[in-house]
Amino acid sequence: KRIAILISGGGSNMVALVNSMIGDHPARAVLVASNDPGASGLVKAAGRGIATAAVDHRLYGRDRAAFEADLLQHIEAASPDILCLAGFMRVLTPGFVQKFEGRMLNIHPSLLPKYPGLHTHQRALDAGDAEAGCSVHEVTAVLDDGPLLGQARVPVLPGDTADSLAARVLVQEHRLYPEVLRRYAAGDRTPVCL
Ligand code: GRF
């Protein structure tokens, strides 16, 4: 299976995914693309010999469709079977999502359906949750919704800040996403619980 990965920043989840696709793994990364030409994850991908592309969303103003059309050209040139959003911070239109329905994954730093959207760790702290975590789901037109493919849980500890909790969750993201992708690429949609 050919995997394209979309990032917006450091790409630590992309690196975890790429590092997992070795040996007899059923998938290979064929493209890493970003909405930010300055995303440091692009340098990490290039350093691993993976083709990269960047389409600067700031050049398109409010024309989301034009941005996505250009991004799509790069993606389709790589002929991916599966699209993985990994720290990708742009909302995709239903038109884009439809093109990859049933073959696009996203990782979100909360125990969905709790806390879709942003600032998930602060919201968990404010709510006094005893647990937090991350979720991998299939992408549908509704933001941070879609069938759950896996979750990993971490304890919220006394004195936690959003940053300390985010760091604890990120470690689990790097375990969860590769495990979900391995199964998903082999056609197994059984949810992973870590
Ligand atoms: C992190 O906050 C992670 O929780 C979320 O996206 C952000 C950046 O991830 N998935 P990455 O290091 O770019 O993969």
Side-chain angles (χ1 to χ4, degrees):
K1 290 277 190 263
R2 300 170 57 86
I3 314 297
I5 306 171
L6 299 190
I7 66 169
S8 293
S12 70
N13 275 289
M14 175 274 298
V15 170
L17 290 172
V18 168
N19 288 346
S20 74
M21 290 184 254
I22 53 173
D24 65 349
H25 192 291
R28 285 285 176 278
V30 295
L31 177 71
V32 172
S34 180
N35 61 294
D36 178 356
S40 59
L42 291 171
V43 174
K44 297 169 189 170
R48 287 166 173 77
I50 300 166
T52 62
V55 179
D56 189 342
H57 71 275
R58 289 163 298 212
L59 303 180
Y60 297 78
R62 297 169 47 77
D63 192 345
R64 199 180 287 269
F67 160 69
E68 291 184 354
D70 286 355
L71 181 60
L72 205 51
Q73 276 201 326
H74 291 287
I75 293 171
E76 289 179 340
S79 310
D81 300 301
I82 297 170
L83 204 49
C84 289
L85 306 183
F88 188 68
M89 304 305 278
R90 304 300 296 169
V91 174
L92 295 165
T93 65
F96 185 99
V97 171
Q98 266 155 17
K99 290 185 187 326
F100 294 96
E101 196 89 52
R103 58 193 184 107
M104 178 157 54
L105 307 183
N106 180 47
I107 189 158
H108 179 75
S110 80
L111 294 174
L112 291 172
K114 293 178 89 168
Y115 316 129
L118 298 174
H119 313 302
T120 60
H121 305 302
Q122 192 54 56
R123 289 156 68 190
L125 292 173
D126 294 348
D129 292 353
E131 274 193 329
C134 50
S135 306
V136 176
H137 62 95
E138 276 191 339
V139 175
T140 60
V142 178
L143 183 68
D144 295 332
D145 194 54
L148 274 181
L149 294 168
Q151 289 198 315
R153 294 171 178 275
V154 301
V156 175
L157 300 176
D160 258 336
T161 62
D163 286 347
S164 62
L165 185 50
R168 192 173 309 124
V169 171
L170 195 59
V171 171
Q172 297 308 316
E173 292 181 38
H174 299 162
R175 294 179 63 225
L176 178 67
Y177 213 167
E179 184 52 36
V180 169
L181 179 60
R182 182 189 316 280
R183 295 181 188 211
Y184 195 81
D188 176 359
R189 281 170 169 65
T190 316
V192 176
C193 291
L194 296 183

